[in-house]
């Protein structure tokens, strides 16, 4: 993979980070990276360790966790706010990545993590698939 490819992939990843709540698909992200959809998907996975869709959903769940910690929105409102259109799919993916349902996560007391700066909390609370979780990791929130 060339440096130019990595720059174009980064541009697409940055777009996902910015526009996670918008409808995004592989063909439009591939156009952002100036690649064919197949080449983009393979290159993205090689560069970042997950598919473009997987990265998008991880970003959405990461944002959903922050909204749920605030506690002023319902799970359905959070689902729609992060760009998911199906509450069932959102809840399934959230549970897969976080290890508990969105309702259970929202109901938990998050005051212990309130003093942690957001930039630090983001690293410690980034959703990962359950089988990818390190056994020595301690959750921050």
């Amino acid at each position: 993979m060339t440096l130019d490819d990595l720059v174009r992939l980064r541009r697409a990843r940055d777009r996902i980070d910015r526009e996670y709540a918008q409808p995004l698909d592989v063909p439009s992200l591939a156009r952002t990276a100036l690649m064919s959809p197949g080449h983009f998907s393979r290159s993205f996975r090689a560069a970042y360790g997950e598919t473009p869709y997987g990265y998008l959903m991880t970003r959405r769940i990461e944002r959903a966790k922050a909204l749920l910690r605030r506690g002023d929105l319902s799970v359905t409102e959070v689902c729609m706010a992060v760009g998911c259109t199906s509450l069932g799919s959102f809840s399934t993916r959230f549970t897969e990545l976080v290890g508990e349902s969105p309702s259970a996560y929202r109901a938990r007391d998050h005051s212990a993590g309130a003093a942690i700066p957001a930039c630090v909390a983001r690293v410690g609370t980034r959703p990962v698939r359950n089988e990818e979780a390190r056994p020595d990791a301690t959750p921050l929130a």
Side-chain angles (χ1 to χ4, degrees):
M1 190 174 313
T2 68
L3 184 58
D4 287 340
D5 286 341
L6 291 173
V7 168
R8 289 193 300 269
L9 288 170
R10 179 61 186 255
R11 188 177 307 133
R13 192 180 79 167
D14 288 348
R15 181 175 173 207
I16 293 171
D17 289 341
R18 269 191 326 274
E19 301 175 19
Y20 65 87
Q22 304 301 316
L24 294 173
D25 58 14
V26 169
S28 71
L29 292 169
R31 283 191 297 277
T32 299
L34 305 174
M35 297 177 177
S36 71
H39 181 65
F40 170 72
S41 290
R42 288 186 302 275
S43 299
F44 192 97
R45 184 178 185 104
Y48 298 114
E50 59 186 325
T51 65
Y53 178 76
Y55 183 81
L56 171 62
M57 288 307 295
T58 300
R59 181 66 183 103
R60 286 178 172 170
I61 298 302
E62 187 176 53
R63 181 65 182 139
K65 286 176 69 177
L67 293 173
L68 289 168
R69 281 193 300 270
R70 286 188 354 202
D72 60 343
L73 297 175
S74 71
V75 173
T76 302
E77 289 170 327
V78 169
C79 169
M80 299 303 163
V82 298
C84 294
T85 56
S86 164
L87 182 59
S89 296
F90 168 75
S91 294
T92 299
R93 186 63 167 219
F94 189 98
T95 302
E96 175 188 324
L97 292 174
V98 179
E100 63 184 323
S101 72
S103 298
Y105 185 83
R106 183 178 183 271
R108 223 173 1 108
D109 179 24
H110 297 283
S111 60
I116 300 171
C119 58
V120 174
R122 189 176 309 122
V123 173
T125 63
R126 185 170 194 270
V128 295
R129 295 186 193 288
N130 289 335
E131 65 270 8
E132 294 173 1
R134 294 185 336 262
D136 63 331
T138 46
L140 294 176

